[in-house]
Amino acid sequence: MAELLCGVDLGTTGTRAVLYRVDGTPVAEASRDTPLRWQGPGRVDQDPDDFVAAALEAIADCVRRAEVPPGDVAAIGVSGQMAGILGMGADGTASTPYDSWLDIRCAGELAELDRAHGDALVRVGGCPPMVNHAPKLRWWRRHRREAFDATVRWVMPAGYVASRLAGLRPDEAFIDVTYLHFTGLADARAGAWSEELCAALEVPMARLPRIVEPATVVGALTAEAADASGLSRGTPIAAGLGDTAASALGAGIVRPGQLLDVAGTAAVLAVSTDRFVPDERSRTLIAMRGAVAGQWIWLSFLSGGSLLPWLSEVLAGGAGGAGADGEGFASLTAEAAGAPVGSAGLVFVPHLDGRLLPSDAALRGAWLGLHRDHRRPHLVRAVLESVAYEYAGYLRAVTALDPSYAATAGHVVGGGARSAVWNAIKASVLGVPLHGLVREELTCWGAALVAGAAVGLVDDLAAAATAGTVVARRYEPVPLEHATYREYESVYRDAVSAAASVSGRLSALAAEGEVRE
């Protein structure tokens, strides 16, 4: 009897596949690179067929390593990048490259949409205006009209891969509900395309894919894909879900009150709730559908994981060897333990490349309060604390939307979760216990869970996710530290405001200097 599940995750630079038993035990895993193609400043795309090839090769590698018969795999689920988009032509193949979430060529279109329709995008779609599907579609229509006209459906990488593996026709193309907030075209609460937004943004609804739930069987493995992957022809393929939703499910974040700290390249705080309430006032939070029925997730993020490699270069003149998977990261974050709570009166503004949410592209970073007695541990700790202060701001935005909301506990995942010092800081700043997990690969597990639910091997998605979540270490908030951090976090908010007031002027002066040179 087929009792293995395959989860595939299409990341920014690599694709990973994992085979699991239904209880969540990994049997085999494999990965393949999917290179970015940099076309110039702010211009980056990927070949959609690289995703297809990488997925098939990674699955085949898993099957070989596990040494299991092809028929032992009951279903496949695919997760992937969420804010980028690609076109599918009339023959079911790609009509455009994958317009990556890293590509900002649509900045002009975004500014127009924000001015004209920003309030509606938040109210109806649940997401503040940002670089995602709607401005990208507008850019393609204006600047690549031939490719736009040749596109029958616009999809995300995971939907494209699933469609190719199943041999779906363009009219069978799909998007699952966890992506809808990033489209700028959907009524998130209703789980349907919004006639209001599509008309306002001049996007033909006929070119948008059908909307499905994650645990929907969208097709079955073709003979060609079966030969390439080592699986049986006809293996069911589930719709899958976006990578953030997959991470939350894989981490067991399924009930109101639970938090997820994704300490990766992007530092993401996701908050599970049971209601859709758009953040129309502060535009700090995105309201996203979760994988579990009735679940919504408020989330916000900043570029946090890149701070430590940068800091390593600044302090040591090194090559940035402080990535979250390296020894440099561990040694650098460990130094922060030698500094007191609040870094002896030092705060750091972490927005080196602008603030993502609430959006402020001109904002830059700063240390405030720096004095002669500060040393490396103080500088490092201030950087770690700044991410935690941002998280506290996200939670404040949550309670502004729902004053009764009470965070119970959080799970911390990603490379940054390896730092006990950073986890302890976050717990005390937030006043919420944080748990490090045994399982590190969450997106593939989330996709596999959805695949299991689609074919009836998983009866209760929330229960299965909870049962598969094992805590490795607990970090409890220290009451005295929490009280001190509340005062520092208030100062931090003022520091961000101060940095915002001068950042634009400094950038203008720097640009003038470059012109003179």
Side-chain angles (χ1 to χ4, degrees):
M1 179 180 178
E3 291 189 348
L4 294 180
L5 299 170
C6 180
V8 179
D9 178 53
L10 309 176
T12 302
T13 58
T15 292
R16 180 180 297 272
V18 184
L19 294 183
Y20 298 94
R21 296 190 179 94
V22 177
D23 65 2
T25 303
V27 176
E29 63 180 84
S31 61
R32 292 292 186 275
D33 292 338
T34 46
L36 295 167
R37 303 188 301 195
W38 293 93
Q39 314 288 350
R43 300 175 60 192
V44 56
D45 65 23
Q46 290 177 277
D47 184 341
D49 290 332
D50 282 350
F51 293 127
V52 178
L56 289 170
E57 290 173 12
I59 294 171
D61 205 357
C62 283
V63 174
R64 284 192 295 269
R65 293 180 184 187
E67 297 182 338
V68 296
D72 279 9
V73 175
I76 303 168
V78 187
S79 73
Q81 304 170 56
M82 300 181 73
I85 199 164
L86 67 95
M88 180 184 289
D91 62 354
T93 62
S95 57
T96 73
Y98 169 57
D99 189 338
S100 170
W101 63 275
L102 294 167
D103 191 292
I104 57 172
R105 279 177 286 185
C106 64
E109 284 74 17
L110 172 59
E112 291 178 6
L113 293 179
D114 191 4
R115 287 192 297 269
H117 309 292
D119 291 343
L121 288 170
V122 180
R123 172 177 50 82
V124 180
C127 183
M130 59 188 300
V131 173
N132 54 25
H133 305 173
K136 287 180 177 293
L137 287 173
R138 200 178 183 95
W139 184 90
W140 279 95
R141 188 176 68 246
R142 287 180 172 179
H143 303 284
R144 299 291 186 273
R145 188 59 189 248
E146 185 175 345
F148 183 86
D149 289 342
T151 296
V152 178
R153 295 289 188 277
W154 293 94
V155 295
M156 284 84 260
Y160 180 72
V161 168
S163 293
R164 290 293 303 277
L165 266 56
L168 301 185
R169 302 186 308 273
D171 64 319
E172 297 173 308
F174 67 92
I175 181 175
D176 86 86
V177 293
T178 66
Y179 289 92
L180 292 184
H181 61 286
F182 271 144
T183 67
L185 300 165
D187 182 331
R189 190 197 308 270
W193 297 118
S194 166
E195 292 186 10
E196 173 192 353
L197 291 178
C198 288
L201 276 54
E202 301 178 278
V203 174
M205 293 182 69
R207 300 195 187 192
L208 301 177
R210 62 190 172 114
I211 298 172
V212 300
E213 293 293 329
T216 301
V217 175
V218 293
L221 211 58
T222 64
E224 181 182 1
D227 288 343
S229 65
L231 298 181
S232 295
R233 179 180 181 180
T235 301
I237 300 173
L241 67 178
D243 55 7
T244 301
S247 291
L249 180 63
I253 304 300
V254 295
R255 296 186 302 274
Q258 292 181 305
L259 311 179
L260 177 66
D261 168 17
V262 183
T265 302
V268 181
L269 188 71
V271 179
S272 181
T273 181
D274 59 1
R275 63 189 68 183
F276 172 76
V277 183
D279 186 7
E280 299 182 65
R281 186 174 66 177
S282 77
R283 293 192 179 186
T284 298
L285 302 172
I286 297 169
M288 180 185 81
R289 268 283 302 270
V292 175
Q295 181 188 32
W296 290 91
I297 296 174
W298 282 309
L299 65 95
S300 195
F301 58 97
L302 73 153
S303 180
S306 61
L307 293 171
L308 274 299
W310 168 81
L311 187 62
S312 176
E313 292 181 23
V314 168
L315 297 182
D325 294 325
E327 293 181 4
F329 171 82
S331 62
L332 194 62
T333 56
E335 286 190 48
V341 169
S343 304
L346 182 66
V347 295
F348 177 71
V349 177
H351 304 294
L352 304 182
D353 302 304
R355 192 175 197 175
L356 298 172
L357 290 168
S359 179
D360 185 350
L363 183 58
R364 294 295 180 265
W367 269 291
L368 285 87
L370 191 66
H371 58 68
R372 193 176 298 275
D373 293 332
H374 283 131
R375 297 292 184 267
R376 277 174 54 106
H378 300 91
L379 299 179
V380 175
R381 188 179 187 101
V383 170
L384 301 182
E385 289 172 337
S386 72
V387 175
Y389 295 149
E390 281 290 310
Y391 281 6
Y394 302 161
L395 275 188
R396 190 180 312 103
V398 167
T399 54
L401 295 178
D402 181 4
S404 67
Y405 192 90
T408 56
H411 294 167
V412 56
V413 300
R418 297 184 177 95
S419 172
V421 175
W422 205 356
N423 294 336
I425 288 171
K426 291 173 182 174
S428 284
V429 169
L430 298 175
V432 177
L434 292 180
H435 303 154
L437 304 181
V438 171
R439 188 189 305 279
E440 292 191 352
E441 177 48 65
L442 299 169
T443 48
C444 286
W445 174 227
L449 275 169
V450 163
V455 296
L457 283 181
V458 174
D459 295 327
D460 186 325
L461 202 53
T466 300
T469 302
V470 179
V471 173
R473 186 168 178 183
R474 302 174 188 273
Y475 303 89
E476 296 292 332
V478 179
L480 183 59
E481 292 183 0
H482 178 59
T484 302
Y485 272 134
R486 290 187 66 172
E487 297 182 29
Y488 269 104
E489 197 257 327
S490 175
V491 174
Y492 170 80
R493 296 200 302 271
D494 292 339
V496 173
S497 296
S501 70
V502 300
S503 289
R505 295 165 59 192
L506 288 172
S507 296
L509 287 172
E512 289 177 11
E514 291 174 1
V515 171
R516 293 192 192 102
E517 293 176 3

